[in-house]
Amino acid sequence: MLRVRCLRGGSRGAEAAHYIGSQLGRSFTGWVQRTFQSTQAAAASQNSCAVDDNKVTAPVPEDCPVCSYNEWDPLEEVIVGRAENACVPPFSVEVKANTYEKNWEFYQKFGGQSFPRDHLKKAIAEIEEMCNILKMEGVIVKRPEPIDWSVKYKTPDFESTGMYAAMPRDILLVVGNEIIEAPMAWRARFFEYRAYRPVIKDYFHRGAKWTTAPKPTMADELYYQDYPIHSVQDRHKLAAQGKFVTTEFEPCFDAADFIRAGRDIFVQRSQVTNNSGIEWMRRHLAPEYRVHTLSFKDPNPMHIDATLNIIGPGLVLSNPDRPCHQIEFFKKAGWTVVSPPLPLIPDDHPLWMSSKWLSMNVLMLDEKRVMVDANEIPIQKMFENLGIL
């Protein structure tokens, strides 16, 4: 799901307590200590949706539907995806690189076809119940359009079928009053944006800024066609060398590789986000925002939320199985770094494209309330110990 609008009495433009010098390719040096801004005072001092308390940006209508700067402000509006008509992506090189060998036969057999009907039925029901819970909490819920993802399409560079519109967080990034469409890196997700266009156009007509990042051709040159990934050891070695299935042929990124903390936005180079994509975002958001690249001991990086999740001002969850190489900088800067407990997802769960650490990919309703998996008792207790219910 995607955080679209947060309460105009939350921290809105409050920065992280500390930030990193963010030149691409340079080491993280010169951490500059900054005091926390009073979030209530920041909100009271402005009538518009602006990012810096000392610098007024272009005026934004008070009823602007898009206004979100971080992952923890009181949530007012959200986009929740759909699992209807979800299809298995064709087994192309980028899909192979992002999945494990035990699942390759599944993709080879069912690529372009529907996911198992019983799983889809359960997923649809769970998503509907999540929407009901959010509505009961007073949150406005928007949904993408249902689309037939089994339809085959062809560009001058490739042909594919679609996948789903289940993960708006993957394709859309809200920064302030701007909603950014990510270019994506999987061919099966090339046209995924179409499901969200009606919602985005409505936001635009009501005052939001709308940006579409340059769409990659997704030609063969964007991918290492002979990317060696026969074992976890191969993946660890390649990731440590900074080698991923995507090349630097053209910018590409998934929105879910970025995570926000006011004017500071953190990102990882991953299988679906290349350095060119990170640099495009850095230039696009400068000078109001700083984009910092992090790296992790992760054999298959793809989307940051289940690896590092910022859940409050100076409060971050750090996956113990995928340690962040720069985590000491967070600690030295005064952040509270919490290691979440091991997840309880059973070993027989398919997890075709995900890991058990989805348990830490949570939704903050505000600084003191969180939505978590009902089965993940250990992480529920962790949040309770943090004073988050």
Side-chain angles (χ1 to χ4, degrees):
M1 69 182 61
L2 180 76
R3 303 176 70 89
V4 174
R5 188 174 75 246
C6 295
L7 185 66
R8 287 170 169 75
S11 54
R12 297 193 301 128
E15 303 174 23
H18 312 272
Y19 70 90
I20 315 169
S22 60
Q23 290 294 325
L24 182 66
R26 296 184 182 179
S27 61
F28 290 123
T29 58
W31 280 68
V32 180
Q33 185 168 355
R34 307 174 73 90
T35 58
F36 276 117
Q37 300 172 341
S38 166
T39 59
Q40 286 75 20
S45 67
Q46 297 180 11
N47 293 322
S48 63
C49 194
V51 67
D52 191 335
D53 291 327
N54 301 311
K55 178 180 177 182
V56 177
T57 58
V60 177
E62 183 62 26
D63 61 348
C64 178
V66 175
C67 185
S68 180
Y69 292 93
N70 56 49
E71 313 300 336
W72 63 82
D73 274 348
L75 189 61
E76 289 186 327
E77 184 163 335
V78 68
I79 300 175
V80 177
R82 290 185 180 277
E84 286 88 344
N85 306 322
C87 285
V88 179
F91 193 55
S92 52
V93 62
E94 74 277 13
V95 174
K96 183 178 181 180
N98 281 277
T99 54
Y100 287 103
E101 191 169 3
K102 65 179 183 179
N103 292 324
W104 288 353
E105 183 179 354
F106 171 81
Y107 287 98
Q108 291 170 326
K109 183 176 181 180
F110 296 107
Q113 303 177 47
S114 172
F115 277 98
R117 295 295 179 184
D118 57 334
H119 285 265
L120 280 185
K121 184 177 180 180
K122 292 176 182 178
I124 291 168
E126 289 186 0
I127 293 172
E128 290 299 325
E129 180 60 18
M130 176 177 286
C131 291
N132 292 334
I133 293 171
L134 287 166
K135 291 173 183 177
M136 290 178 65
E137 293 294 330
V139 178
I140 297 172
V141 176
K142 300 290 187 179
R143 310 294 300 280
E145 293 292 305
I147 287 180
D148 182 0
W149 300 105
S150 67
V151 174
K152 183 174 289 188
Y153 49 82
K154 184 175 182 179
T155 79
D157 299 287
F158 69 91
E159 65 178 48
S160 182
T161 48
M163 197 162 91
Y164 53 38
M167 312 289 182
R169 171 75 173 90
D170 293 0
I171 191 171
L172 301 173
L173 182 68
V174 171
V175 181
N177 68 304
E178 179 181 13
I179 189 163
I180 301 171
E181 286 184 25
M184 310 303 285
W186 282 22
R187 289 169 168 174
R189 308 190 76 175
F190 190 84
F191 287 112
E192 191 168 321
Y193 68 88
R194 294 180 64 247
Y196 299 96
R197 280 295 174 88
V199 176
I200 297 174
K201 286 190 290 186
D202 176 63
Y203 288 150
F204 175 73
H205 292 315
R206 292 162 53 199
K209 294 174 68 176
W210 172 18
T211 300
T212 299
K215 198 69 175 172
T217 62
M218 297 190 185
D220 288 347
E221 291 86 348
L222 182 58
Y223 313 101
Y224 287 111
Q225 299 297 323
D226 56 351
Y227 189 70
I229 47 173
H230 293 291
S231 69
V232 174
Q233 289 72 26
D234 285 341
R235 294 170 186 256
H236 270 297
K237 183 178 179 179
L238 290 165
Q241 296 171 351
K243 295 181 180 178
F244 305 94
V245 71
T246 46
T247 70
E248 299 297 331
F249 176 69
E250 55 193 347
C252 66
F253 62 85
D254 281 14
D257 273 324
F258 294 80
I259 193 163
R260 309 161 306 152
R263 290 206 303 170
D264 294 284
I265 297 174
F266 300 91
V267 63
Q268 66 172 350
R269 173 52 164 111
S270 77
Q271 300 285 20
V272 293
T273 295
N274 62 13
N275 289 323
S276 298
I278 295 171
E279 182 61 17
W280 182 90
M281 185 70 85
R282 179 175 286 119
R283 295 183 196 179
H284 176 72
L285 294 175
E288 290 83 4
Y289 301 90
R290 297 173 288 262
V291 176
H292 315 290
T293 303
L294 302 176
S295 60
F296 304 87
K297 187 180 179 181
D298 185 352
N300 197 42
M302 179 180 172
H303 303 166
I304 199 169
D305 306 76
T307 301
L308 184 124
N309 196 355
I310 301 174
I311 60 172
L315 181 60
V316 60
L317 300 182
S318 180
N319 188 326
D321 281 358
R322 306 172 193 162
C324 176
H325 295 137
Q326 296 81 23
I327 200 65
E328 288 303 317
F329 291 109
F330 285 90
K331 293 178 180 179
K332 290 177 181 178
W335 288 59
T336 298
V337 178
V338 178
S339 180
L342 293 175
L344 299 181
I345 297 178
D347 291 336
D348 60 355
H349 193 290
L351 288 172
W352 293 296
M353 292 177 287
S354 304
S355 79
K356 293 184 177 182
W357 287 103
L358 285 172
S359 60
M360 63 176 281
N361 187 1
V362 298
L363 175 68
M364 302 300 297
L365 299 180
D366 55 42
E367 290 184 33
K368 296 299 181 181
R369 294 185 302 154
V370 62
M371 287 187 70
V372 299
D373 188 327
N375 298 307
E376 292 290 345
I377 305 301
I379 202 166
Q380 292 175 30
K381 292 181 178 179
M382 180 207 75
F383 279 112
E384 289 174 1
N385 292 334
L386 291 171
I388 301 171
L389 303 176

